[in-house]
Structures are given as structure tokens and as C-alpha cells.
Amino acid sequence: MTAVIDLAQDLTYGRGEVAENSPEAARSDEAVEIGRRVLRLRTEQGLTQRQVAEPAYTAAYVSTLESGKVRPSEAALRHLAGRLGVGYEELVTGRPARLATDLRLRLTDARRALATGAPEDAAALFRALHEEAVAHGLAEEQAAALQGLGDCLLESGELTDARDCFAAAERLLADQPLPVRVPAIRGRATAHLLTGELRYSCYLLETTLDELNASGLHDPDALLLLYTASIAPYMDMGAHARAAHAAELALALAPSVSDPALVAHMHRGVARTLIAEGRTAEADASLAKAQELYRHLHIRTELAHCHWMRGYVHAQDGDLDGAESELRTARDMLASKRAALFTVQVEVELADVLRRRGKAGEAEALLRPLLTSGEDGGALGAERGAVHAGGAHRLLGLIAEERGDTDSAEEHYCAALSLLERSSAAGDLADLCRLLGDLLRRTGRVEAALDAYRTGLGHRAAPGTTTLGPAPATPPM
């Protein structure tokens, strides 16, 4: 009787004409795929239709099913799966058992490869995993692979491709709760930050935070990730109060977060707000906590970032020996991982320390290749590390001015001004306007100097708000 009822129900799917793209057509296509799958599995195992069907069904029913004329019920599918020695999900979807679990394990391995090795090597793993997830229709695993690939591309400096990966991951997760989408949104915001689009980076993070808080989805991990990510663009834009508030909220969330990598990243971000408040000892202690966690987790890129930030702290505090040591360590670690964009950004800050130590020639030799045009348009530029590109031009302008080449100095200052105005990096912009105004005033162009000073006065430079060196003095009027 059960077989008769199931057969009657299944045959209803095959009655009458069905419109293309209709639910009935989709069920018909699914029935054909399931039928083919049953036929393949049965013949591979040398079973007859009667052996697969009994005791609950008939050989005729299995024959009808294999021809794609019926879409079997769940009860029938579970019976057939048991007789064929496969899982119910595998019979319905064609995906091997435990495929999703296996993919997730390999995604973790790819993450580990990115943490300890070169981004392009990890990128190859993520691309292969993405293709496999696409082939089997696993949307969440596709998104995870795209997010990993996006992180690889951030390290190697392929910012447009990275942004596209994160955006594609967001689309795949569109039906998921917002906290699930937060890592992809944060990745896209980071890509815009590194490109120099600070305002848009802030907009993405702020709107996501507003939506998350308004929805009542109090997810500590997602909130910590967003608040920590917002610190850097806030500081670069001169929004010190917002940065400090984000740091306070991040610190309050930290005890509720179990992921040590998230906590370490929070300590690294908070350190910059402490520098702006003149609390360099506390900033160094915060970075030491982050370093300890990253060492334990074997995350070399983030560990290098800690050395980079400690070098920045020492440079802001006037300890040039300590700054050079930490920045060289960071540069070597990032270069060994072939993290191209981060390596050249550290080299700009190292060049600043070298110039301040009287090694202008060495600093210039380090900087010029970073701005040289080539097939990729140079290592740094308007679309790739714009703030550090502005910093490199600023340093070359200082070196030129120190050797008496005012024309070259002005050219570099103007190039830096164009980059920094586009990126809205307030502290760097204020410092640069002071330098340009001083140069114009010394060469007798008082009105032009006043314009430069006025531009600079619209912003604020303080400890921790500039990419390079200690905080500058307020521009004279």
C-alpha cells in the first residue's frame, strides 16, 4: 500500500504540460537528475531494480523513477539511499557525504597557509576550494573561499580584485543574518581604506554597525571586528574622538569574545588611539599583548604588523634606534611572506626614520622605486596605498629641500597634496600644508603660502594622526 500511495503522489508531478522555469519544471529537472543518480549507483553496485526496490517498492516503480518520470517522496528516497549504501543528502544533491565538512577543514588549512606563508600560494588553495564549492552548490563555502582569497589579494596589493571578492561573498550570503556577512563587509572596507578611500571605508563600517545595533543582534565578535576596523580610517581622517570611542567599545566587548585573533587585532587598533593621547607606554603594552597572541597563533602577517606599529610608536616618541629596528624586522617578515603592499608601506616609514637619522641618501634610494611607473603603475599610487604614496612624496620633497632643490621639493609636495586631499587623511594633510606653505613663503610667494596654510588649518595634526614622524607644529600665519 505504501508503494502505491508514493507512486500515486510521485506521478502527479508528471501530469500535464509544465511551463518553462515553473516550480513544476524545476521538480521535473530534479526528478531526472535523481533518476540518473539512482541508475548510476545501482549499476555501479551490480544491483537489479527489484533488489533496490524490495521490500517496500516494486521494480516497475524504480524503473519509472530512473527514467525521470517521477520525483520520489522523501520516504522513497530514504529507502533507496539505504539500499544503495549512500546518505540521503548525497542521493538528493549528488554531493558526496561529508563534502561540506571536508571543504571547511581545507578552508582552515588554506587560512593557516595564508598566516604562515606567501599570499599567492594561499590564493591558489582558495581558488581551488572555491571552484569545488561552486561545482557542488555550497554557497557558504563559496563565500568563505572568496573571503580568504580577498585577504590574500589585500596582502599582495591587488585591491580592486580583493574588493570584488568580498563583494561577491556578501552577495552569496545575502540571505544570512548580518553577523555572518560582517567579515566580508569588513574586508571590503579594508580594501577601500588601502586604496585611499577613507570616507567610504568609514561609511561601510558605520552603516553596518548602525544596522547591527538597530536590529538587536548583539554579536560580540561582529561588533568587535567592526569597531576595531573603524579605528584606522577614523585616525587617518582626524576623527580622534570617534576613534577613541570605538576603541573604548572594543575594549568593553573583548571579554565576551573567544577568538584570540580578534582580540589581538583589537589590541593593535587600540594602540593607535593611545598614541594620539600621548600614552605611548600603554600603547606599547597593548602591542605586546597582541604580539603574544599572534605568536601563539603563528599568524606571521599580523605579527609583522605589530612590529610595524611598535616602530611607529618609537618614531612618534623620538626613539629612532628602536623605530629602525622594529621597522626593519617588520619589513623583512612581510617581504619573506611576499606581502607586497604592506612591505612597501613599511619601507616608506623606514625611509622617514632613516632621513631623520641623517641617512638621506639611503632613504631616497628606498623611496624612489616605490613610486616608479611600470607595468603595474608603480608600487604605490592613487589607487594603491594612497596615504603612504603621499608620505613617500612628502619625504622626497623634504630630502630635495634639504639639498636646496626647491623646484623638486615643491613638485613632490604638490604630488603628495593631490593624493592626501583625495584620501581625506587629515593629519598628513595638515603637516604637508605646513611644509608646502613654509617653502612657498621662503621663495617669496606669500599669497600662495597663505592658501596652503589655510588649507592645513582646516585639519588637525596630533600624535598618532600622521603616517610619518612626530606630530608637526601648528602652521604659522
Side-chain angles (χ1 to χ4, degrees), residues 28 59 70 91 124 149 160 179 260 286 298 349 392 396 445 451 471 477:
S28 177
V70 297
L91 187 60
L149 180 57
T160 300
S286 188
H298 304 290
E349 299 193 30
L396 288 170
R445 288 169 285 175
D451 286 341
M477 289 298 290

Side-chain angles (χ1 to χ4, degrees), residues 235-236 238 240 272 276 312 316 425-428 460-467 471-472:
M235 291 299 294
D236 285 342
H240 316 143
R272 191 166 176 191
Y312 177 78
Q316 290 274 314
D428 291 281
R460 178 189 170 196
T465 66
T466 56
T467 303

Side-chain angles (χ1 to χ4, degrees), residues 354-374:
L354 292 172
R355 186 197 69 82
R356 291 166 63 193
R357 297 196 70 188
K359 303 176 184 178
E362 192 177 342
E364 188 172 10
L366 191 60
L367 290 167
R368 287 204 176 278
L370 307 185
L371 298 169
T372 303
S373 296

Side-chain angles (χ1 to χ4, degrees), residues 57-123:
Y57 300 91
T58 65
Y61 174 68
V62 173
S63 176
T64 307
L65 185 153
E66 288 180 348
S67 66
K69 293 178 181 177
V70 297
R71 199 291 186 188
S73 64
E74 181 180 342
L77 284 168
R78 291 194 181 279
H79 167 82
L80 292 169
R83 299 294 286 171
L84 293 167
V86 298
Y88 169 77
E89 183 182 356
E90 182 176 353
L91 187 60
V92 174
T93 65
R95 291 195 290 265
R98 294 182 56 80
L99 174 67
T101 302
D102 178 62
L103 269 173
R104 291 188 196 108
L105 288 172
R106 286 187 284 147
L107 283 164
T108 300
D109 291 340
R111 278 278 172 198
R112 191 175 298 113
L114 174 60
T116 59
E120 57 263 39
D121 296 337

Side-chain angles (χ1 to χ4, degrees), residues 118-400:
E120 57 263 39
D121 296 337
L125 297 175
F126 282 118
R127 286 191 178 97
L129 290 166
H130 177 255
E131 289 177 8
E132 192 171 343
V134 169
H136 294 286
L138 294 168
E140 289 186 32
E141 286 70 24
Q142 288 179 54
L146 285 169
Q147 288 178 95
L149 180 57
D151 287 333
C152 295
L153 296 170
L154 286 181
E155 285 200 20
S156 58
E158 300 167 71
L159 302 180
T160 300
D161 290 342
R163 187 185 62 215
D164 291 345
C165 281
F166 292 124
E170 281 185 70
R171 289 193 294 272
L172 282 166
L173 300 172
D175 295 332
Q176 296 291 322
L178 182 55
V180 177
R181 289 181 273 130
V182 161
I185 296 169
R186 179 256 187 180
R188 191 153 61 95
T190 302
H192 284 289
L193 170 66
L194 292 172
T195 301
E197 299 167 295
L198 306 183
R199 290 189 182 279
Y200 192 67
S201 177
C202 285
Y203 166 77
L204 281 176
L205 296 167
E206 287 180 339
T207 53
T208 306
L209 278 165
D210 287 344
E211 185 180 349
L212 196 59
N213 287 323
S215 66
L217 296 170
H218 184 76
D219 186 296
D221 286 20
L223 289 168
L224 184 66
L225 193 61
L226 292 168
Y227 282 125
T228 300
S230 66
I231 291 172
Y234 280 153
M235 291 299 294
D236 285 342
M237 289 176 59
H240 316 143
R242 287 194 182 193
H245 184 56
E248 287 174 10
L249 292 169
L251 284 166
L253 285 163
S256 304
V257 172
S258 58
D259 185 348
L262 279 180
V263 175
H265 194 62
M266 179 273 299
H267 282 301
R268 187 157 62 84
V270 167
R272 191 166 176 191
T273 66
L274 295 171
I275 296 167
E277 296 168 7
R279 299 154 64 184
T280 53
E282 292 174 65
D284 204 47
S286 188
L287 289 169
K289 292 177 186 175
Q291 280 182 305
E292 183 180 354
L293 288 166
Y294 286 136
R295 282 196 192 96
H296 179 71
L297 296 167
H298 304 290
I299 305 179
R300 285 184 56 78
T301 300
E302 299 298 342
L303 183 58
H305 276 272
C306 286
H307 284 290
W308 178 0
M309 182 62 82
R310 292 187 91 166
Y312 177 78
V313 172
H314 291 316
Q316 290 274 314
D317 210 27
D319 176 10
L320 300 183
D321 286 345
E324 183 175 349
S325 175
E326 291 284 3
L327 291 171
R328 286 192 184 279
T329 298
R331 193 265 305 267
D332 292 346
M333 289 177 70
L334 292 167
S336 71
K337 282 190 88 276
R338 303 201 292 276
L341 179 58
F342 297 145
T343 300
V344 296
Q345 287 180 318
V346 171
E347 287 178 337
V348 172
E349 299 193 30
L350 176 59
D352 174 54
V353 172
L354 292 172
R355 186 197 69 82
R356 291 166 63 193
R357 297 196 70 188
K359 303 176 184 178
E362 192 177 342
E364 188 172 10
L366 191 60
L367 290 167
R368 287 204 176 278
L370 307 185
L371 298 169
T372 303
S373 296
E375 290 185 7
D376 297 326
L380 290 169
E383 302 300 323
R384 193 170 186 267
V387 175
H388 278 80
H393 277 295
R394 168 193 176 276
L395 287 172
L396 288 170
L398 279 168
I399 292 168

